[in-house]
């Protein structure tokens, strides 16, 4: 058996991830597979992901409070979101691309499909990216996103959240997920969050960090992301 036929990644922990079909989350009924999944060869899971270097990033790509500013600062509570990206063995994933997108402080995305009756912020795009450092750490400066109605059921509101997209080292470690905030009362009512097995839900909730807080500027939150293994961050 060659190196490429050996499974370098352990099987994904499906017990810690939401099911493809979760009827309370109405969109999942139409999006979920209707036929059994087709296993892929180990070589495909081991295929290396694209490499993105810091030379491709702008100096303010990580700072959502300035990367789209036109005539002032965006409106809202400034926050810092930081953490480490780890592999299934708990080792840092160095120099890997981390991308985020989110609603603004009023709970609206800069997207033509979002027609929520809330104001857009001319100085806030709601998207950013950065490369992890030698310790696997990333850092974003942004605005705390607002809650918004989403029509899944009567009086449905999404909790405050930030979307994350990562590749890691392999296509098999690809992860798209969401980060939530501690103490949000909407978490108990949200079908997407509740669709994650109970024992794994805390992996999606950031923790307040005074250490990451910048005095007089922004509150800090820590959110570590594990790409595979028993402590994997659940998928979106």
């Amino acid at each position: 058996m060659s190196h490429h036929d050996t499974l370098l990644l352990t099987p994904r922990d499906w017990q810690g991830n939401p099911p493809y079909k979760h009827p309370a989350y109405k969109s999942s009924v139409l999006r979920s597979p209707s036929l059994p999944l087709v296993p892929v060869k180990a070589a495909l899971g081991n295929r290396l992901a694209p490499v993105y270097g810091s030379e491709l990033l702008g100096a303010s790509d990580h700072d959502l409070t300035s990367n789209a500013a036109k005539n002032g600062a965006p409106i809202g509570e400034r926050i810092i979101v930081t953490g480490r990206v780890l592999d299934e063995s708990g080792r840092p994933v160095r120099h890997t691309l981390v991308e985020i997108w989110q609603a603004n402080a009023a709970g609206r995305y800069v997207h033509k499909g979002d027609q929520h009756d809330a104001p857009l912020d001319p100085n806030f795009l709601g998207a950013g990216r950065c490369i992890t450092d030698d310790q696997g750490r990333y850092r974003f400066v942004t605005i705390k996103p607002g809650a918004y109605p989403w029509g899944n059921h009567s009086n449905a509101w999404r909790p405050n959240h930030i979307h994350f997209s990562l590749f890691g080292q392999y296509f098999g470690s690809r992860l798209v997920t969401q980060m939530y905030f501690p103490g949000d009362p909407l978490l108990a009512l949200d079908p997407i969050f509740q669709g994650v097995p109970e024992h794994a839900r805390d992996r999606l909730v950031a923790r307040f960090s005074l250490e990451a807080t910048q005095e007089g500027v922004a509150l800090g939150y820590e959110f570590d992301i594990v790409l595979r293994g028993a402590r994997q961050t659940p998928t979106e």
Side-chain angles (χ1 to χ4, degrees), residues 133-214:
D133 63 17
D134 287 338
Q135 286 74 48
R137 180 167 289 276
Y138 70 88
R139 183 178 183 272
F140 290 101
V141 181
T142 186
I143 297 295
K144 188 174 183 180
Y148 57 82
W150 65 303
N152 182 78
H153 54 276
S154 178
N155 206 12
W157 291 77
R158 290 287 349 264
N160 312 123
H161 64 280
I162 297 176
H163 297 267
F164 278 75
S165 170
L166 305 94
F167 276 104
Q169 296 174 306
Y170 304 96
F171 276 104
S173 59
R174 177 84 169 100
L175 179 67
V176 177
T177 190
Q178 299 184 28
M179 184 204 89
Y180 299 95
F181 291 85
D184 192 330
L186 291 175
L187 292 177
L189 305 173
D190 184 59
I192 297 179
F193 180 75
Q194 293 295 320
V196 175
E198 185 174 1
H199 74 274
R201 290 174 194 160
D202 66 319
R203 304 176 197 172
L204 293 175
V205 181
R207 65 176 184 86
F208 169 71
S209 170
L210 189 61
E211 182 180 357
T213 295
Q214 185 174 346

Side-chain angles (χ1 to χ4, degrees), residues 58-194:
S60 62
D61 281 6
H62 73 288
D63 187 347
L64 283 68
T65 67
S66 66
N67 66 11
K70 295 179 180 178
N71 58 7
I75 300 299
E77 177 190 343
R78 288 174 298 204
I79 62 172
I80 294 166
V81 179
T82 185
R84 300 179 72 203
V85 179
L86 307 170
D87 67 14
E88 58 191 271
S89 299
R91 296 170 299 200
V93 182
R94 303 177 177 90
H95 311 146
T96 193
L97 180 69
V98 182
E99 299 174 288
I100 65 171
W101 66 98
Q102 62 169 92
N104 65 18
R108 187 167 177 187
Y109 290 94
V110 181
H111 190 281
K112 62 181 181 181
D114 187 347
Q115 296 300 309
H116 174 31
D117 184 20
L120 288 170
D121 188 331
N123 295 303
F124 189 74
L125 177 63
R129 58 184 184 170
C130 71
I131 299 289
T132 58
D133 63 17
D134 287 338
Q135 286 74 48
R137 180 167 289 276
Y138 70 88
R139 183 178 183 272
F140 290 101
V141 181
T142 186
I143 297 295
K144 188 174 183 180
Y148 57 82
W150 65 303
N152 182 78
H153 54 276
S154 178
N155 206 12
W157 291 77
R158 290 287 349 264
N160 312 123
H161 64 280
I162 297 176
H163 297 267
F164 278 75
S165 170
L166 305 94
F167 276 104
Q169 296 174 306
Y170 304 96
F171 276 104
S173 59
R174 177 84 169 100
L175 179 67
V176 177
T177 190
Q178 299 184 28
M179 184 204 89
Y180 299 95
F181 291 85
D184 192 330
L186 291 175
L187 292 177
L189 305 173
D190 184 59
I192 297 179
F193 180 75
Q194 293 295 320

Side-chain angles (χ1 to χ4, degrees), residues 36-51:
L37 300 181
V38 177
V40 299
K41 294 181 180 180
L44 295 177
N46 294 341
R47 191 177 296 277
L48 294 176
V51 176

